[in-house]
Amino acid sequence: MSGIIDSRERVLGRIRAAARNFAAADPQPAAKDAQELAGADAAIPRRYARSGRLSAEARMALMAERLREYGAEVAVCKPEELAAAITQQIAASGRRIFVAPPGIPVAWRVEVANKIKGFECSFDHGLQIGEIEQAEGVMTAAFCGIADSGTIVLHHSASEGRRMLTLLPDWHLCILKASQVVETLPEYFDRCPQPPALVTWISGPSATADIEMTRIQGVHGPRFLNVILADDRGKEPAVH
Amino acid sequence: MSAPGGQLDDRAILDPAHAPPFPAAALTVLRDPQLRKNVAHATDVIQAKRALLVAEKTDWQELRSAASRIKEEALDHLGAYLKQFEERCTAAGGTVHWAADAAEARRIILEILREEKAEEVIKIKTMTSAEIQLNPFLEAAGIRAHETDLAEIILQLGKGEPSHIVVPALHVNRSQVREVFARRMGIEDLSDDPQALTAAARGFLRRKFLTVPMAISGANFLIAETGAVVVVESEGNGRMCLTLPRTLITLAGIEKVLPRFADLEVMLQLLARSATGERMNPYTSLWTGVRADDGPQRFHVVLLDNGRSSILARRTGRQTLKCIRCAACMNACPVYRQTGGHAYGSVYPGPIGAILTPQLEQMQHAQSLPYASSLCGACYEVCPVKINIPEVLLELRARVTDQERRQARRIFDPLYIGLRVANLLFSRAWLFHAAQWAGRIGLRFFTGKDGWIHRLPGVGAKWTQTRDLRGLPRQTFHAWWTGRRQAIGNRH
């Protein structure tokens, strides 16, 4: 593999040589990388919108509208009605075989299990691909919602599930609280003090426009995305 | 439109070393009304959607400025950021390889696949793999590569070539897709409804996703701060390839590195709006190395130079490396919209291809591409990272000219003889006046009654073949000005 190690030096050497053409970019050739990169961020002009302007109510309405525009189903409910809303969504979907991440609140599934005949939910304590693929639906929480683009963000915690859990079943029910919804994308980044190691940003069900630019919903990912927005404003302090 | 056997009859050569010059390649397309119609329709649809979503964004120009600076900053410290990415990706369980050129990248990928005893591999659409011509190489080594993006399946099954970097099969219409799928997937009664065609692709690939243990992806961004990789997609085929296999190989150009995780707050707002006219694409995935209970347990990144560092050394040309591959420039380009992508003889077509390909080829091939533009500037206006494409085109034209005029065979080239003569005439006033006088007399024989020259002999015919030339006026401006001043002087 010695040739490969040489390549690293070769590529980095060429990049160094290119930098020498621009004196300003390379003040001290011997500078350590960390020194070189310190404060580089300050030079970026960040005059774009970094916070939202909508009221909490308008933000929720925008989130619902943008989700629907991309073909997601949205139901809004009060926090105390959440279990009922979940039950209703699952009953209406006609789907009974579910998977879910182990960390979702117990309350979310008790009522469903009691009220819907034949409802089965396997919790993902290391389920096999085949078992997840057999499921008709999946139910998860989310890390954040971004109203401006109707985006749901998963950081794949214990209540959001492993990545394949929200990928293989055809129907994804995602429960999002109003306090988790921000208006703009930069506000989501403000909510990540530490950069996450795994992220999936989901905006509507899977789709393609590869044939004559006709948008077709449902390719390889879930063909259906249902979102329940639990309006918990007043219960938790809204984040500004 | 399709040739027998479910082949798309567009066996374009997308290797700059062997492709015909742009004007020659464009001619075949210009004679194919179906293809032009397909390209015009697709680019019209994306442009209209993009325009709506850009208009609703009140801070679009501020986002462009920030994105442009972020990419400039990344390129200014490219070596340091790549090393940082390597260190953090490795710490998170990934393996980073460096490839100086295409051959080396292919060899590294094949070695990994051989070590894993792979017979087949699933792929997410990556133009970088097309750039290094990975699929034919793997095929020759006995490894089947399955493309999983819908457009790429259409091209792979139909033996066609990509003509766009975001919607690679935009030159193919639904009945052509139907024919390819019906034959190659063995579905007799397939309709040409895009919904049915998409469903056919879903069924065709499902087993592959669940069983093939190796995947290859490209990267939209590499994050130096954390060692993470970001892939932006729509269909979910990307998530399948990134999540289900045992081993994942990511091939990325060295210019894909972003300094910080938070820089995505700018890039992700610009990319989908520019590329597909969506506020956000359906799926964006970010992962960092490997995680014990989630996703591939072996992860390799191949960092590809292949000519990029030589672009970095050019003052004007280096901005080419800011590109985030959104394809807005080709959708907006009046030349691309007529010729489609294949005429550019490279996997990177359109305005960005016209500046990227000749530079990647280190000015050894594709010298006709810098001329494949009217310099109207539409590409610069829509570019989300503010690449001044016309400026780079002009610089490349100058380099092509400098290169050509030193070649012995160009000594008697009429163009260069003409330029040498012009150089002489413009540098001596008396010669210039004499030439004007001679030209007025000489051209009088070819000038029609309407004051236009419709046909010239010899080399001049190259001009009049496609456009008329206005005849020289009776008087030059210089003569008119002198006469006028004398007339005013006489009045006083």
Side-chain angles (χ1 to χ4, degrees):
Chain A
M1 297 290 270
S2 71
I4 306 294
I5 290 163
D6 290 347
S7 292
R8 180 183 190 274
E9 286 320 307
R10 244 165 88 201
V11 174
L12 286 172
R14 288 181 197 160
I15 292 170
R16 265 195 305 275
R20 276 196 290 273
N21 285 2
F22 308 96
D26 194 19
Q28 307 156 263
K32 286 262 181 289
D33 293 340
Q35 265 171 287
E36 180 182 333
L37 300 182
D41 184 30
I44 311 292
R46 296 187 189 272
R47 290 187 297 270
Y48 50 87
R50 303 213 40 153
S51 56
R53 281 174 298 186
L54 297 177
S55 68
E57 201 173 336
R59 186 167 65 232
M60 280 280 280
L62 183 66
M63 181 78 199
E65 179 197 315
R66 292 280 152 93
L67 276 166
R68 288 191 183 110
E69 255 179 60
Y70 282 141
E73 295 260 341
V74 185
V76 181
C77 71
K78 295 202 181 79
E80 58 270 24
E81 302 164 350
L82 188 55
I86 293 170
T87 308
Q88 195 192 347
Q89 291 288 319
I90 291 177
S93 76
R95 292 158 204 269
R96 298 295 174 264
I97 316 297
F98 274 72
V99 285
I104 61 167
V106 177
W108 289 8
R109 42 180 219 245
V110 171
E111 190 171 327
V112 190
N114 288 342
K115 289 208 175 149
I116 299 179
K117 246 182 122 172
F119 176 79
E120 273 176 44
C121 185
S122 312
F123 291 93
D124 180 24
H125 299 284
L127 289 174
Q128 295 300 306
I129 292 182
E131 294 172 280
I132 298 172
E133 220 259 333
Q134 291 304 307
E136 297 169 326
V138 56
M139 167 172 38
T140 73
F143 174 77
C144 185
I146 302 155
D148 181 49
S149 55
T151 302
I152 287 163
V153 192
L154 303 181
H155 280 188
H156 304 286
S157 68
S159 63
E160 297 154 48
R162 290 191 292 162
R163 287 178 291 172
M164 71 167 82
L165 204 64
T166 44
L167 177 62
L168 292 174
D170 209 16
W171 196 81
H172 180 192
L173 178 65
C174 185
I175 291 117
L176 194 61
K177 288 182 240 158
S179 55
Q180 292 178 305
V181 178
V182 295
E183 186 182 329
T184 64
L185 189 64
E187 289 167 280
Y188 153 73
F189 283 86
D190 290 343
R191 289 195 176 194
C192 304
Q194 288 299 318
L198 278 184
V199 192
T200 307
W201 287 269
I202 298 175
S203 307
S206 69
T208 184
D210 275 344
I211 302 171
E212 294 186 14
M213 300 313 296
T214 310
R215 189 181 160 93
I216 303 295
Q217 228 163 271
V219 195
H220 304 294
R223 284 185 284 191
F224 305 92
L225 174 66
N226 278 40
V227 178
I228 298 179
L229 282 173
D231 195 351
D232 62 347
R233 283 174 297 136
K235 308 267 171 192
E236 289 171 39
V239 178
H240 288 286
Chain B
M1 281 306 296
S2 289
Q7 289 198 3
L8 305 165
D9 50 359
D10 62 350
R11 210 63 202 148
I13 307 168
L14 297 190
D15 178 356
H18 300 109
F22 181 82
L27 216 54
T28 35
V29 187
L30 293 174
R31 290 179 183 138
D32 183 344
Q34 179 65 57
L35 196 143
R36 291 175 71 183
K37 212 174 118 189
N38 297 350
V39 173
H41 170 74
T43 48
D44 278 348
V45 172
I46 313 178
Q47 286 240 91
K49 286 166 72 183
R50 176 198 169 274
L52 273 178
L53 291 188
V54 168
E56 79 175 21
K57 207 81 187 125
T58 50
D59 57 348
W60 186 252
Q61 296 307 334
E62 287 78 11
L63 284 166
R64 284 180 79 212
S65 299
S68 173
R69 258 317 287 154
I70 289 169
K71 289 297 275 191
E72 276 168 15
E73 198 242 311
L75 293 174
D76 283 347
H77 309 287
L78 188 59
Y81 281 128
L82 285 171
K83 280 187 270 177
Q84 196 178 69
F85 171 81
E86 179 189 38
E87 179 203 318
R88 312 229 159 137
C89 177
T90 308
T95 309
V96 177
H97 309 260
W98 301 70
D101 54 33
E104 205 161 67
R106 291 192 296 253
R107 210 177 58 226
I108 293 168
I109 292 172
L110 182 62
E111 259 172 43
I112 300 169
L113 292 173
R114 288 241 164 100
E115 243 164 65
E116 299 268 350
K117 306 202 176 359
E119 287 169 6
E120 42 186 355
V121 58
I122 46 178
K123 287 183 71 201
I124 313 179
K125 179 173 90 78
T126 139
M127 298 319 290
T128 316
S129 103
E131 174 190 325
I132 66 166
Q133 300 172 3
L134 184 62
N135 287 7
F137 175 79
L138 292 182
E139 218 69 42
I143 295 170
R144 283 193 308 285
H146 304 284
E147 293 292 347
T148 63
D149 172 77
L150 180 54
E152 293 280 9
I153 302 168
I154 295 169
L155 296 176
Q156 190 172 43
L157 295 183
K159 302 198 188 312
E161 296 289 347
S163 73
H164 191 278
I165 58 173
V166 170
V167 206
L170 96 170
H171 59 291
V172 184
N173 66 21
R174 62 178 74 189
S175 62
Q176 294 167 309
V177 177
R178 194 209 76 86
E179 198 175 321
V180 169
F181 278 14
R183 281 176 194 275
R184 300 294 308 271
M185 296 180 184
I187 312 171
E188 298 269 305
D189 54 347
L190 188 63
S191 99
D192 69 355
D193 176 21
Q195 186 89 53
L197 295 170
T198 305
R202 179 183 167 106
F204 180 71
L205 279 180
R206 196 75 180 182
R207 278 267 71 110
K208 291 269 174 262
F209 286 137
L210 297 174
T211 56
V212 178
M214 300 286 308
I216 294 176
S217 85
N220 289 90
F221 306 104
L222 308 173
I223 310 293
E225 180 189 7
T226 59
V229 183
V230 180
V231 163
V232 170
E233 52 132 357
S234 295
E235 296 173 10
N237 64 309
R239 291 180 69 195
M240 293 278 183
C241 294
L242 301 174
T243 316
L244 300 180
R246 178 185 72 218
T247 303
L248 171 64
I249 305 171
T250 294
L251 171 68
I254 49 173
E255 82 285 14
K256 292 290 167 87
V257 72
L258 283 183
R260 295 152 296 261
F261 170 67
D263 292 330
L264 290 171
E265 73 184 23
V266 178
M267 297 301 170
L268 292 180
Q269 291 199 69
L270 291 165
L271 183 52
R273 283 180 170 87
S274 299
T276 50
E278 294 170 300
R279 292 193 182 90
M280 190 81 109
N281 50 290
Y283 298 133
T284 301
S285 297
L286 174 149
W287 71 98
T288 316
V290 298
R291 186 189 269 197
D293 61 342
D294 191 341
Q297 294 303 296
R298 279 168 236 164
F299 172 51
H300 300 265
V301 179
V302 181
L303 297 173
L304 176 73
D305 182 345
N306 202 29
R308 286 160 174 79
S309 55
S310 72
I311 302 178
L312 193 68
R314 306 289 307 195
R315 191 169 295 279
T316 310
R318 76 197 316 239
Q319 57 183 312
T320 312
L321 297 176
K322 293 196 290 182
C323 178
I324 55 171
R325 305 284 190 269
C326 73
C329 60
M330 51 200 82
N331 300 331
C333 177
V335 176
Y336 176 91
R337 288 161 59 84
Q338 294 303 320
T339 65
H342 293 160
Y344 292 80
S346 150
V347 296
Y348 303 114
I352 188 64
I355 61 172
L356 180 59
T357 308
Q359 295 188 89
L360 282 178
E361 295 293 318
Q362 321 222 2
M363 306 308 282
Q364 297 302 306
H365 305 286
Q367 280 97 332
S368 64
L369 286 185
Y371 297 91
S373 165
S374 64
L375 299 176
C376 73
C379 47
Y380 182 25
E381 201 171 301
V382 296
C383 179
V385 290
K386 288 193 173 176
I387 301 172
N388 190 337
I389 293 177
E391 184 187 44
V392 182
L393 283 167
L394 283 175
E395 204 248 352
L396 293 179
R397 287 182 187 187
R399 283 170 72 185
V400 170
T401 310
D402 278 344
Q403 220 178 43
E404 280 185 356
R405 71 160 163 232
R406 283 191 218 105
Q407 295 166 350
R409 66 188 173 88
R410 300 278 180 183
I411 292 176
F412 298 108
D413 184 321
L415 176 71
Y416 285 92
I417 293 176
L419 287 172
R420 283 200 300 272
V421 172
N423 195 15
L424 190 72
L425 294 181
F426 285 125
S427 56
R428 288 163 185 80
W430 68 271
L431 260 179
F432 183 70
H433 289 303
Q436 281 181 319
W437 176 78
R440 264 204 315 283
I441 293 178
L443 286 175
R444 200 175 293 164
F445 299 105
F446 302 102
T447 310
K449 285 205 178 83
D450 55 358
W452 286 87
I453 299 166
H454 300 288
R455 189 170 299 167
L456 278 173
V459 191
K462 283 198 170 177
W463 181 277
T464 50
Q465 254 169 19
T466 47
R467 41 195 148 6
D468 293 340
L469 181 67
R470 190 175 273 290
L472 287 184
R474 271 167 213 286
Q475 205 181 16
T476 65
F477 174 79
H478 191 265
W480 173 80
W481 184 254
T482 316
R484 183 176 165 275
R485 279 178 58 180
Q486 275 168 4
I488 292 169
N490 290 346
R491 234 180 281 155
H492 288 282

